[in-house]
Amino acid sequence: MDMPAVWARGRLADGDGRVVCLDVNGLSVDCAVPSEPTEHGETDGATSFGLLAASLSSCTAMSVRTFLQRFGIPGSAVEVDVAFEPGSPPVLHRRVGLTADLDTDHRAQLSAVVDSTPVTVLLRDALVIVTRLEVVAPG
């Protein structure tokens, strides 16, 4: 059988069972079961929820770049931050920041693109995604 275009494999590493070694299309990443959080609430390593946030962040950044290229809009410094907030339902807070000269119509179109990225569509029935779009004109 041919290898699919997108694939991932997780292997439980030897030892205490806290680390899963991931291979995502040939990229190696380790995912750790969180240890006790620090005083700032941080844990060590990439966690399952961290990888979920990374999926949303990277998919959004790629979609924004594609949007800018499709419409020939010069842009730079695309940055997408995603933070996970546990709860029922869980909430992902997404900040999309970019430097580009967008008129009102392009801002509305970009907002629609961000809200319809493939990962957004997959996640939105399971959790809440709150998005803040920050567009700064160059100069």
Side-chain angles (χ1 to χ4, degrees):
M1 174 167 67
D2 291 335
M3 185 62 104
V6 178
W7 57 273
R9 177 179 296 119
R11 291 189 181 96
L12 191 58
D14 292 337
D16 65 5
R18 289 190 61 245
V19 177
V20 174
C21 300
L22 299 174
D23 186 357
V24 181
N25 282 22
L27 174 68
S28 295
V29 179
D30 289 341
C31 180
V33 174
S35 59
E36 291 298 316
T38 66
E39 63 185 67
H40 303 290
E42 299 166 347
T43 58
D44 59 342
T47 65
S48 299
F49 288 116
L51 292 173
L52 185 68
S55 293
L56 181 62
S57 177
S58 61
C59 181
T60 303
M62 288 184 259
S63 295
V64 169
R65 176 64 65 208
T66 300
F67 171 84
L68 294 173
Q69 291 172 343
R70 180 176 298 136
F71 288 98
I73 300 169
S76 63
V78 175
E79 184 175 279
V80 181
D81 300 310
V82 176
F84 178 79
E85 179 184 331
S88 184
V91 178
L92 289 175
H93 295 274
R94 171 174 54 182
R95 184 192 69 81
V96 180
L98 67 144
T99 303
D101 192 11
L102 298 182
D103 60 25
T104 304
D105 289 340
H106 280 129
R107 282 178 187 258
Q109 290 172 340
L110 178 59
S111 181
V113 165
V114 167
D115 285 338
S116 64
T117 68
V119 174
T120 301
V121 170
L122 289 171
L123 294 177
R124 68 177 164 212
D125 288 337
L127 46 78
V128 175
I129 301 172
V130 177
T131 302
R132 187 174 80 238
L133 187 60
E134 296 176 358
V135 180
V136 178

